[in-house]
Amino acid sequence: MKHRTFFWFILPTLSAMILFIALPIVSVFIQSLFVEHEQVLIVTESCGPFGCTPTTTIDAEATAQLREEKPLGRFNGLGTYFDRSHLAIAEIGEIWRSTSGIGHFLAEIMDLKFYAALVFTLTYTFVVTPLVLVFGMAIAVGVNNLPRAVRGLAIFISLLPFLVPTIVGSMILSWMVDGDGVIGATLQSIFNDPSLSIKASTPLMWIMLMVYGVWHTLPFSFITFYAGLQTVPQDTLEAARVDGASKWQTMISVVVPHLMPLVSFVTLMLLMDNFRVLEPLVSFQAEAHAQSLSTFIVSDLIEAGNPLYASAGATSILTIIGVAILLTPVLIRTWRDFNAKAH
Amino acid sequence: MATKAESRLSTLKVVSYALVIVWLIIAAFPFLWTVWGSFKVQGDFFSKADWTNAIYGVFTTRETGSAFTLDGYRGAWIQEEFWRNVLNTSVIVFFTVIISLTFGTLGGYALARSGFKYAFWILMAALIFRAMPHITLVSGYMLPFFEWNIWGLKGTAIIVLVAINQPFTLWMLHSFFKNIPKDMDESAMVDGCTRFQAFWHVIVPVMWPGVITTGLFSFLLAYNDYIVTNMLLSKPNETMVPAVASFLGSVQVQGNIMFAVAAAVSATVPLFIMILFFQRQIVSGLTAGAVKG
């Protein structure tokens, strides 16, 4: 294919991606360098019979005009990145100096908004991902052993939690685990504790969100591994059986190695998707107990009447750096593979 | 020996069957429960006193005279005008799918047929773009969109959804096109077709399975999206998913949580039907990237 033809074919999709993915990232970065204007204040002296008192009022008109002229705000450099609600460099130094032990230090850190969100996001990602891989594999093997006639039905049911909109799926679960809902009430009667409420306890809420995460993404790893199982070479299995390997041994030394490329693909997808967890926290109304990096950005953007673009921008850039760190190993490997093929 | 091996084999089988059955119950039960419960009143849907109320509809019978009621659906669709959201969703999803596929087939074809190094780099860039959290992109749109006065419009949301969708569409169609033998379009070009004519007359007619599968995934992305539609659409242009979410806040105050339940079920039904008809394509699409890439 000629360079010219290639260019014309790729033009629409490439321009869509540059305009609406690459440029917004630049725009986010620029936003993060500015802070919102301070409100324009007018100090007037109001004089009465007992002397003059200065009163301060907000000049709404001048503030609006200032916003109109410079919508980005005042230049602040990297200030927003280091302030209290982001990396909080000063606060961490302070805590470090006054701390009485590592446990205490970590507890104090969790009071800082950004670190709390980061810790939840990372915990969620690294708890949900391995669980989904293991259970997905186990269920794929199980379904593969089922009689052919019922496999279709099993796949149909399995697809539901994955394909239903995240917000709807998590809402359905949140109704069920509500103190009055069927699961919530059942748990209360099992533990004989009528005040037990998932929505009022931070640890229970974290567990619930991760249970939801596993429920929602398990079908994806299940389907992928199930498809992989269909391609396991039958003669290798036969050879293993002849050599006297048990079912479990064949599983470990034939089937799992065959599926390894799929495992790394599924892991990559799960890491990307779990790191941006957002909707379940909205549906479970979990903001008091858990914040993720994404909900942190949303709450800045919907700040009543006056969105905090700078703060949202800084968190976005930090999130993108997080994604980049997660992706680096995969990208390095792909690049090596590509070079190996080229030579 | 034989009996020992057999018994071990059957324990393994029993365990794996049990696991599958438990999973299927966990996967299906929330949906069955909610669909059934959407025809009840709130007292039954949330029945702390006795969960069997939700099955028999004790309060529903007391309040409405019958064990099933359409009050939730009536409230959501007519009183809260959920039909508007359904209409908006259809428009946005339709155009997103059409534009995504047009852009994606052209680009995917070019990438599958080009041996140049930059084709690899474009695919890598697409992979990185696929990883970008949508909310970080949305925070980049808000300010410029407000400045240019294009915030809140359906058209803006469609373009954004198309763009966010492109990396995935491109990967998927690229791997489908790689499976179509090169000889087909090349022989057409030998016969005097231009590259585009070869694409249009030879490749387009045989690519339908891949396009339908990719289209289903574009549909799902646009249909299920919460954050883009929630942040970039004005109230009258809102789609179903953010509407369901906003029901939750507004109806809880008025005590009409059943509206939200009915709306959630309404939003799930089209997907249910889609999975019923396109299960094979969805499964092949989920695995296409994995098995070949």
Side-chain angles (χ1 to χ4, degrees):
Chain A
M1 189 178 259
K2 288 195 204 87
H3 292 284
R4 249 178 81 95
T5 355
F6 180 80
F7 173 77
W8 285 112
F9 268 101
I10 203 88
L11 184 68
T13 171
L14 207 58
S15 44
M17 287 198 287
I18 289 174
L19 277 176
F20 291 97
I21 302 181
L23 284 184
I25 296 173
V26 177
S27 144
V28 164
F29 178 66
I30 296 171
Q31 267 173 35
S32 71
L33 299 179
F34 291 82
V35 281
E36 288 75 19
H37 290 289
E38 281 174 352
Q39 282 166 324
V40 181
L41 302 177
I42 316 169
V43 183
T44 44
E45 296 246 300
S46 54
C47 294
F50 305 106
C52 293
T53 47
T55 50
T56 319
T57 49
I58 296 166
D59 186 345
E61 210 171 291
T63 310
Q65 200 193 346
L66 196 58
R67 283 212 186 113
E68 189 76 21
E69 278 165 10
K70 288 182 179 171
L72 280 173
R74 292 172 291 135
F75 186 74
N76 187 34
L78 292 177
T80 313
Y81 288 88
F82 300 124
D83 72 4
R84 198 186 186 295
S85 44
H86 295 90
L87 291 176
I89 301 296
E91 283 78 6
I92 290 204
E94 185 55 42
I95 296 170
W96 183 247
R97 270 191 296 282
S98 63
T99 189
S100 55
I102 192 79
H104 181 242
F105 177 68
L106 290 179
E108 295 265 311
I109 295 256
M110 284 299 284
D111 284 342
L112 296 166
K113 235 170 123 186
F114 176 78
Y115 289 97
L118 183 68
V119 167
F120 175 78
T121 309
L122 288 175
T123 315
Y124 180 88
T125 308
F126 288 104
V127 169
V128 171
T129 308
L131 285 179
V132 165
L133 284 174
V134 171
F135 284 123
M137 181 76 85
I139 291 167
V141 172
V143 170
N144 202 34
N145 287 334
L146 286 180
R148 204 165 276 279
V150 290
R151 284 190 205 171
L153 182 70
I155 292 174
F156 176 77
I157 295 173
S158 301
L159 281 172
L160 280 172
F162 181 60
L163 295 184
V164 78
T166 333
I167 204 110
V168 172
S170 45
M171 211 173 265
I172 286 176
L173 283 202
S174 97
W175 285 323
M176 296 178 83
V177 302
D178 190 271
D180 293 342
V182 56
I183 298 176
T186 310
L187 286 178
Q188 287 177 354
S189 68
I190 289 175
F191 292 102
N192 203 10
D193 174 8
S195 64
L196 181 78
S197 162
I198 287 174
K199 291 181 176 170
S201 137
T202 301
L204 284 180
M205 182 53 101
W206 280 45
I207 293 172
M208 189 57 228
L209 288 166
M210 288 172 210
V211 167
Y212 170 78
V214 173
W215 182 77
H216 168 62
T217 45
L218 203 148
F220 169 62
S221 77
F222 154 67
I223 295 284
T224 316
F225 292 143
Y226 175 76
L229 284 175
Q230 312 307 310
T231 65
V232 174
Q234 289 303 314
D235 40 348
T236 322
L237 282 183
E238 198 71 37
R241 210 167 296 139
V242 171
D243 289 348
S246 72
K247 196 115 190 174
W248 183 249
Q249 283 168 327
T250 9
M251 178 78 205
I252 293 298
S253 47
V254 178
V255 177
V256 171
H258 179 77
L259 294 182
M260 259 351 248
L262 290 187
V263 172
S264 60
F265 165 79
V266 173
T267 313
L268 170 70
M269 290 293 155
L270 289 175
L271 286 179
M272 286 200 256
D273 291 345
N274 288 335
F275 195 74
R276 59 177 166 220
V277 53
L278 164 78
E279 285 98 335
L281 288 108
V282 176
S283 283
F284 281 96
Q285 294 169 312
E287 67 271 28
H289 304 291
Q291 283 269 7
S292 74
L293 292 173
S294 296
T295 59
F296 190 15
I297 302 172
V298 175
S299 67
D300 277 343
L301 288 177
I302 55 175
E303 191 75 22
N306 188 17
L308 304 171
Y309 291 117
S311 174
T315 317
S316 296
I317 293 292
L318 292 169
T319 310
I320 289 174
I321 293 172
V323 172
I325 294 172
L326 281 181
L327 280 184
T328 322
V330 185
L331 289 179
I332 291 176
R333 222 196 50 202
T334 321
W335 193 69
R336 275 209 202 115
D337 285 355
F338 175 73
N339 276 348
K341 262 183 224 159
H343 291 154
Chain B
M1 261 331 259
T3 47
K4 199 178 170 191
E6 257 163 36
S7 73
R8 202 166 51 203
L9 199 139
S10 67
T11 5
L12 201 70
K13 255 206 164 134
V14 167
V15 170
S16 82
Y17 278 174
L19 197 69
V20 171
I21 290 166
V22 169
W23 159 248
L24 291 180
I25 292 170
I26 294 174
F29 176 65
F31 294 105
L32 296 175
W33 183 264
T34 310
V35 171
W36 180 265
S38 68
F39 295 102
K40 307 284 179 209
V41 296
Q42 191 174 343
D44 282 331
F45 186 71
F46 293 103
S47 47
K48 189 175 183 152
D50 186 356
W51 62 271
T52 54
N53 282 356
I55 296 175
Y56 301 116
V58 177
F59 285 95
T60 315
T61 317
R62 203 174 297 160
E63 283 175 35
T64 64
S66 141
F68 295 97
T69 170
L70 285 172
D71 283 355
Y73 290 92
R74 213 171 287 134
W77 281 75
I78 298 165
Q79 191 184 321
E80 302 284 329
E81 302 196 319
F82 190 63
W83 58 270
R84 273 185 209 281
N85 307 116
V86 176
L87 222 59
N88 290 334
T89 309
S90 341
V91 173
I92 289 180
V93 167
F94 176 78
F95 284 104
T96 307
V97 171
I98 297 293
I99 303 173
S100 285
L101 287 179
T102 314
F103 286 15
T105 37
L106 290 169
Y109 173 72
L111 288 173
R113 288 294 183 264
S114 156
F116 301 125
K117 227 175 189 167
Y118 51 68
F120 169 79
W121 291 114
I122 291 175
L123 279 172
M124 278 296 100
L127 181 70
I128 295 168
F129 286 160
R130 158 77 173 73
M132 287 300 129
H134 296 170
I135 181 65
T136 62
L137 299 175
V138 169
S139 71
Y141 302 137
M142 299 276 280
L143 193 55
F145 283 6
F146 276 124
E147 287 300 307
W148 302 332
N149 230 351
I150 53 169
W151 181 88
L153 306 174
K154 285 196 196 84
T156 318
I158 290 170
I159 297 169
V160 168
L161 285 171
V162 166
I164 288 187
N165 215 351
Q166 274 306 296
F168 183 74
T169 315
L170 208 56
W171 264 95
M172 210 156 164
L173 284 168
H174 154 255
S175 65
F176 274 114
F177 281 132
K178 273 205 150 162
N179 288 347
I180 298 178
K182 260 186 183 175
D183 312 349
M184 284 187 66
D185 38 331
E186 271 164 11
S187 59
M189 282 163 70
V190 170
D191 290 349
C193 280
T194 63
R195 178 59 84 167
F196 187 77
Q197 281 170 334
F199 167 76
W200 187 248
H201 294 296
V202 180
I203 298 299
V204 169
V206 294
M207 72 181 185
W208 284 112
V211 169
I212 288 171
T213 308
T214 315
L216 283 172
F217 279 86
S218 308
F219 169 88
L220 281 172
L221 183 126
Y223 188 91
N224 290 354
D225 178 85
Y226 167 69
I227 198 62
V228 172
T229 48
N230 185 39
M231 303 294 279
L232 294 186
L233 284 172
S234 58
K235 197 79 191 163
N237 285 334
E238 207 170 43
T239 56
M240 277 148 91
V241 170
V244 172
S246 65
F247 265 138
L248 195 64
S250 63
V251 295
Q252 242 169 4
V253 184
Q254 308 154 14
N256 275 325
I257 196 132
M258 293 318 290
F259 293 4
V261 179
V265 172
S266 312
T268 316
V269 169
L271 286 177
F272 190 85
I273 296 169
M274 202 195 75
I275 304 174
L276 207 60
F277 282 104
F278 292 106
Q279 180 168 336
R280 192 177 289 270
Q281 280 81 358
I282 294 170
V283 172
S284 79
L286 277 174
T287 51
V291 178
K292 286 154 205 149

